[in-house]
Short mmCIF file of all heavy atoms in Angstrom, two decimals:
data_model
loop_
_atom_site.label_atom_id
_atom_site.label_comp_id
_atom_site.label_asym_id
_atom_site.label_seq_id
_atom_site.Cartn_x
_atom_site.Cartn_y
_atom_site.Cartn_z
N GLU A 1 5.92 14.46 -6.62
CA GLU A 1 5.21 14.14 -5.39
C GLU A 1 3.89 13.46 -5.74
O GLU A 1 3.10 13.99 -6.53
CB GLU A 1 4.94 15.40 -4.57
CG GLU A 1 4.28 15.10 -3.24
CD GLU A 1 4.11 16.35 -2.40
OE1 GLU A 1 5.11 16.86 -1.90
OE2 GLU A 1 2.97 16.81 -2.29
N PHE A 2 3.68 12.30 -5.15
CA PHE A 2 2.47 11.52 -5.38
C PHE A 2 1.81 11.21 -4.06
O PHE A 2 2.46 11.17 -3.01
CB PHE A 2 2.80 10.22 -6.11
CG PHE A 2 3.30 10.42 -7.51
CD1 PHE A 2 4.63 10.74 -7.74
CD2 PHE A 2 2.44 10.29 -8.57
CE1 PHE A 2 5.10 10.93 -9.04
CE2 PHE A 2 2.90 10.48 -9.88
CZ PHE A 2 4.23 10.80 -10.10
N VAL A 3 0.50 10.95 -4.12
CA VAL A 3 -0.26 10.57 -2.93
C VAL A 3 -1.22 9.47 -3.35
O VAL A 3 -1.84 9.54 -4.41
CB VAL A 3 -1.07 11.77 -2.37
CG1 VAL A 3 -2.01 11.34 -1.27
CG2 VAL A 3 -0.14 12.85 -1.87
N THR A 4 -1.32 8.43 -2.52
CA THR A 4 -2.39 7.46 -2.72
C THR A 4 -3.46 7.72 -1.67
O THR A 4 -3.16 8.13 -0.54
CB THR A 4 -1.92 5.99 -2.60
OG1 THR A 4 -1.38 5.77 -1.31
CG2 THR A 4 -0.91 5.66 -3.67
N TYR A 5 -4.69 7.51 -2.07
CA TYR A 5 -5.84 7.64 -1.18
C TYR A 5 -6.58 6.32 -1.23
O TYR A 5 -6.93 5.83 -2.31
CB TYR A 5 -6.75 8.78 -1.65
CG TYR A 5 -8.07 8.83 -0.90
CD1 TYR A 5 -8.15 9.50 0.32
CD2 TYR A 5 -9.20 8.17 -1.37
CE1 TYR A 5 -9.35 9.53 1.03
CE2 TYR A 5 -10.39 8.19 -0.66
CZ TYR A 5 -10.45 8.88 0.53
OH TYR A 5 -11.63 8.90 1.24
N GLY A 6 -6.79 5.73 -0.07
CA GLY A 6 -7.52 4.47 0.00
C GLY A 6 -8.64 4.55 1.02
O GLY A 6 -8.42 5.02 2.13
N LEU A 7 -9.81 4.10 0.62
CA LEU A 7 -10.95 3.99 1.53
C LEU A 7 -11.27 2.51 1.63
O LEU A 7 -11.58 1.85 0.63
CB LEU A 7 -12.16 4.76 1.00
CG LEU A 7 -13.48 4.60 1.77
CD1 LEU A 7 -13.34 5.09 3.21
CD2 LEU A 7 -14.61 5.34 1.06
N PHE A 8 -11.16 1.99 2.85
CA PHE A 8 -11.34 0.56 3.12
C PHE A 8 -12.56 0.36 4.01
O PHE A 8 -12.89 1.22 4.82
CB PHE A 8 -10.09 -0.01 3.81
CG PHE A 8 -8.84 0.15 2.99
CD1 PHE A 8 -8.09 1.31 3.04
CD2 PHE A 8 -8.42 -0.87 2.15
CE1 PHE A 8 -6.94 1.45 2.28
CE2 PHE A 8 -7.28 -0.74 1.38
CZ PHE A 8 -6.54 0.43 1.44
N THR A 9 -13.20 -0.79 3.89
CA THR A 9 -14.40 -1.06 4.68
C THR A 9 -14.09 -1.07 6.18
O THR A 9 -14.95 -0.72 6.98
CB THR A 9 -15.05 -2.40 4.29
OG1 THR A 9 -14.06 -3.43 4.37
CG2 THR A 9 -15.63 -2.34 2.89
N ASP A 10 -12.86 -1.46 6.54
CA ASP A 10 -12.45 -1.46 7.95
C ASP A 10 -10.93 -1.63 8.01
O ASP A 10 -10.27 -1.78 6.97
CB ASP A 10 -13.16 -2.55 8.76
CG ASP A 10 -13.01 -3.94 8.17
OD1 ASP A 10 -12.01 -4.22 7.47
OD2 ASP A 10 -13.89 -4.78 8.43
N HIS A 11 -10.38 -1.61 9.21
CA HIS A 11 -8.94 -1.73 9.38
C HIS A 11 -8.43 -3.09 8.90
O HIS A 11 -7.33 -3.19 8.34
CB HIS A 11 -8.54 -1.49 10.84
CG HIS A 11 -7.05 -1.45 11.02
ND1 HIS A 11 -6.30 -0.37 10.64
CD2 HIS A 11 -6.19 -2.37 11.51
CE1 HIS A 11 -5.02 -0.63 10.89
NE2 HIS A 11 -4.93 -1.83 11.42
N ASN A 12 -9.21 -4.13 9.08
CA ASN A 12 -8.82 -5.46 8.62
C ASN A 12 -8.64 -5.48 7.10
O ASN A 12 -7.69 -6.10 6.59
CB ASN A 12 -9.85 -6.50 9.06
CG ASN A 12 -9.42 -7.91 8.70
OD1 ASN A 12 -8.30 -8.32 8.99
ND2 ASN A 12 -10.31 -8.64 8.04
N ALA A 13 -9.52 -4.82 6.37
CA ALA A 13 -9.38 -4.75 4.91
C ALA A 13 -8.08 -4.03 4.53
O ALA A 13 -7.40 -4.44 3.59
CB ALA A 13 -10.58 -4.04 4.30
N PHE A 14 -7.73 -3.00 5.28
CA PHE A 14 -6.46 -2.31 5.03
C PHE A 14 -5.29 -3.25 5.29
O PHE A 14 -4.35 -3.30 4.51
CB PHE A 14 -6.34 -1.05 5.88
CG PHE A 14 -4.94 -0.50 5.90
CD1 PHE A 14 -4.38 0.04 4.75
CD2 PHE A 14 -4.18 -0.57 7.04
CE1 PHE A 14 -3.08 0.52 4.76
CE2 PHE A 14 -2.87 -0.10 7.05
CZ PHE A 14 -2.32 0.45 5.90
N GLU A 15 -5.34 -4.00 6.38
CA GLU A 15 -4.26 -4.93 6.71
C GLU A 15 -4.11 -5.99 5.61
O GLU A 15 -2.99 -6.36 5.24
CB GLU A 15 -4.51 -5.60 8.06
CG GLU A 15 -4.35 -4.67 9.24
CD GLU A 15 -2.91 -4.22 9.46
OE1 GLU A 15 -1.97 -4.97 9.11
OE2 GLU A 15 -2.73 -3.10 9.97
N GLN A 16 -5.23 -6.48 5.09
CA GLN A 16 -5.18 -7.45 4.00
C GLN A 16 -4.54 -6.83 2.76
O GLN A 16 -3.75 -7.49 2.07
CB GLN A 16 -6.57 -7.98 3.69
CG GLN A 16 -7.10 -8.89 4.78
CD GLN A 16 -8.51 -9.38 4.51
OE1 GLN A 16 -9.18 -8.92 3.59
NE2 GLN A 16 -8.97 -10.29 5.34
N HIS A 17 -4.87 -5.58 2.48
CA HIS A 17 -4.27 -4.86 1.36
C HIS A 17 -2.75 -4.75 1.56
O HIS A 17 -1.97 -5.05 0.66
CB HIS A 17 -4.89 -3.48 1.24
CG HIS A 17 -4.12 -2.53 0.40
ND1 HIS A 17 -4.07 -2.61 -0.97
CD2 HIS A 17 -3.34 -1.47 0.74
CE1 HIS A 17 -3.30 -1.65 -1.45
NE2 HIS A 17 -2.84 -0.94 -0.42
N LEU A 18 -2.36 -4.36 2.75
CA LEU A 18 -0.95 -4.17 3.05
C LEU A 18 -0.16 -5.47 2.91
O LEU A 18 1.01 -5.45 2.51
CB LEU A 18 -0.81 -3.62 4.47
CG LEU A 18 0.51 -3.00 4.86
CD1 LEU A 18 0.89 -1.86 3.95
CD2 LEU A 18 0.45 -2.51 6.30
N ASN A 19 -0.78 -6.59 3.20
CA ASN A 19 -0.12 -7.89 3.13
C ASN A 19 -0.29 -8.60 1.78
O ASN A 19 0.17 -9.73 1.63
CB ASN A 19 -0.63 -8.79 4.26
CG ASN A 19 -0.19 -8.28 5.61
OD1 ASN A 19 0.96 -7.89 5.80
ND2 ASN A 19 -1.12 -8.24 6.56
N SER A 20 -0.92 -7.93 0.83
CA SER A 20 -1.13 -8.54 -0.49
C SER A 20 0.20 -8.66 -1.23
O SER A 20 1.16 -7.94 -0.96
CB SER A 20 -2.11 -7.69 -1.31
OG SER A 20 -1.52 -6.44 -1.63
N ALA A 21 0.25 -9.57 -2.17
CA ALA A 21 1.48 -9.81 -2.94
C ALA A 21 1.88 -8.58 -3.73
O ALA A 21 3.06 -8.23 -3.78
CB ALA A 21 1.29 -11.01 -3.87
N HIS A 22 0.91 -7.89 -4.34
CA HIS A 22 1.27 -6.73 -5.17
C HIS A 22 1.84 -5.58 -4.33
O HIS A 22 2.77 -4.91 -4.76
CB HIS A 22 0.10 -6.26 -6.04
CG HIS A 22 -1.17 -6.00 -5.32
ND1 HIS A 22 -2.08 -6.99 -5.06
CD2 HIS A 22 -1.68 -4.87 -4.80
CE1 HIS A 22 -3.11 -6.47 -4.41
NE2 HIS A 22 -2.90 -5.19 -4.24
N VAL A 23 1.34 -5.38 -3.13
CA VAL A 23 1.89 -4.33 -2.26
C VAL A 23 3.26 -4.77 -1.72
O VAL A 23 4.21 -3.98 -1.72
CB VAL A 23 0.92 -3.97 -1.12
CG1 VAL A 23 1.58 -3.04 -0.11
CG2 VAL A 23 -0.34 -3.32 -1.69
N SER A 24 3.37 -6.00 -1.29
CA SER A 24 4.65 -6.51 -0.78
C SER A 24 5.75 -6.41 -1.83
O SER A 24 6.87 -5.97 -1.54
CB SER A 24 4.51 -7.96 -0.32
OG SER A 24 3.62 -8.05 0.76
N ASN A 25 5.43 -6.80 -3.07
CA ASN A 25 6.42 -6.72 -4.15
C ASN A 25 6.80 -5.27 -4.45
O ASN A 25 7.97 -4.96 -4.69
CB ASN A 25 5.89 -7.39 -5.42
CG ASN A 25 5.77 -8.89 -5.25
OD1 ASN A 25 6.44 -9.50 -4.43
ND2 ASN A 25 4.88 -9.48 -6.03
N TRP A 26 5.82 -4.39 -4.44
CA TRP A 26 6.08 -2.97 -4.68
C TRP A 26 6.98 -2.40 -3.59
O TRP A 26 7.95 -1.71 -3.87
CB TRP A 26 4.76 -2.20 -4.75
CG TRP A 26 4.94 -0.77 -5.12
CD1 TRP A 26 4.92 -0.25 -6.38
CD2 TRP A 26 5.17 0.32 -4.23
NE1 TRP A 26 5.14 1.10 -6.32
CE2 TRP A 26 5.29 1.48 -5.01
CE3 TRP A 26 5.28 0.44 -2.85
CZ2 TRP A 26 5.52 2.73 -4.46
CZ3 TRP A 26 5.52 1.68 -2.30
CH2 TRP A 26 5.63 2.82 -3.10
N LEU A 27 6.67 -2.72 -2.34
CA LEU A 27 7.48 -2.23 -1.22
C LEU A 27 8.92 -2.73 -1.30
O LEU A 27 9.86 -1.99 -0.97
CB LEU A 27 6.85 -2.64 0.11
CG LEU A 27 5.58 -1.90 0.51
CD1 LEU A 27 4.93 -2.57 1.71
CD2 LEU A 27 5.88 -0.43 0.81
N ALA A 28 9.10 -3.96 -1.74
CA ALA A 28 10.44 -4.54 -1.82
C ALA A 28 11.34 -3.77 -2.78
O ALA A 28 12.55 -3.69 -2.57
CB ALA A 28 10.35 -6.01 -2.24
N GLY A 29 10.76 -3.18 -3.82
CA GLY A 29 11.57 -2.44 -4.79
C GLY A 29 11.51 -0.94 -4.64
O GLY A 29 12.12 -0.21 -5.42
N SER A 30 10.80 -0.46 -3.63
CA SER A 30 10.51 0.98 -3.53
C SER A 30 11.73 1.87 -3.32
O SER A 30 11.70 3.05 -3.65
CB SER A 30 9.48 1.25 -2.44
OG SER A 30 9.99 0.88 -1.17
N SER A 31 12.83 1.33 -2.81
CA SER A 31 14.01 2.16 -2.59
C SER A 31 14.58 2.66 -3.92
O SER A 31 15.31 3.66 -3.95
CB SER A 31 15.08 1.40 -1.81
OG SER A 31 15.53 0.29 -2.55
N ALA A 32 14.24 2.01 -5.03
CA ALA A 32 14.73 2.44 -6.33
C ALA A 32 14.11 3.76 -6.78
O ALA A 32 14.70 4.47 -7.58
CB ALA A 32 14.44 1.36 -7.38
N TRP A 33 12.92 4.10 -6.27
CA TRP A 33 12.26 5.33 -6.73
C TRP A 33 11.88 6.30 -5.62
O TRP A 33 11.58 7.45 -5.90
CB TRP A 33 11.03 4.99 -7.59
CG TRP A 33 10.07 4.04 -6.94
CD1 TRP A 33 9.14 4.33 -5.99
CD2 TRP A 33 9.95 2.64 -7.18
NE1 TRP A 33 8.45 3.20 -5.63
CE2 TRP A 33 8.92 2.15 -6.35
CE3 TRP A 33 10.61 1.75 -8.02
CZ2 TRP A 33 8.54 0.81 -6.34
CZ3 TRP A 33 10.22 0.41 -8.01
CH2 TRP A 33 9.21 -0.03 -7.18
N LEU A 34 11.89 5.88 -4.39
CA LEU A 34 11.52 6.80 -3.30
C LEU A 34 12.69 7.72 -2.96
O LEU A 34 13.80 7.27 -2.71
CB LEU A 34 11.10 6.03 -2.05
CG LEU A 34 9.71 5.39 -2.08
CD1 LEU A 34 9.48 4.58 -0.81
CD2 LEU A 34 8.63 6.43 -2.26
N ALA A 35 12.42 9.03 -2.91
CA ALA A 35 13.43 10.02 -2.55
C ALA A 35 13.56 10.15 -1.03
O ALA A 35 14.59 10.59 -0.53
CB ALA A 35 13.06 11.38 -3.15
#
């Protein structure tokens, strides 16, 4: 069991994070490791 904790300057910064290439690529492969 893992948890990520993120503190962002505002909701827009979170949205930019969510739409980043590294998050998008990670999400695309996440079914391989998520239970």
Side-chain angles (χ1 to χ4, degrees):
E1 183 176 288
F2 293 82
V3 172
T4 60
Y5 171 85
L7 173 61
F8 300 86
T9 54
D10 54 27
H11 186 75
N12 185 50
F14 166 68
E15 289 292 331
Q16 289 178 351
H17 164 73
L18 196 58
N19 293 316
S20 67
H22 53 273
V23 171
S24 296
N25 292 336
W26 185 91
L27 287 170
S30 64
S31 63
W33 53 79
L34 285 176

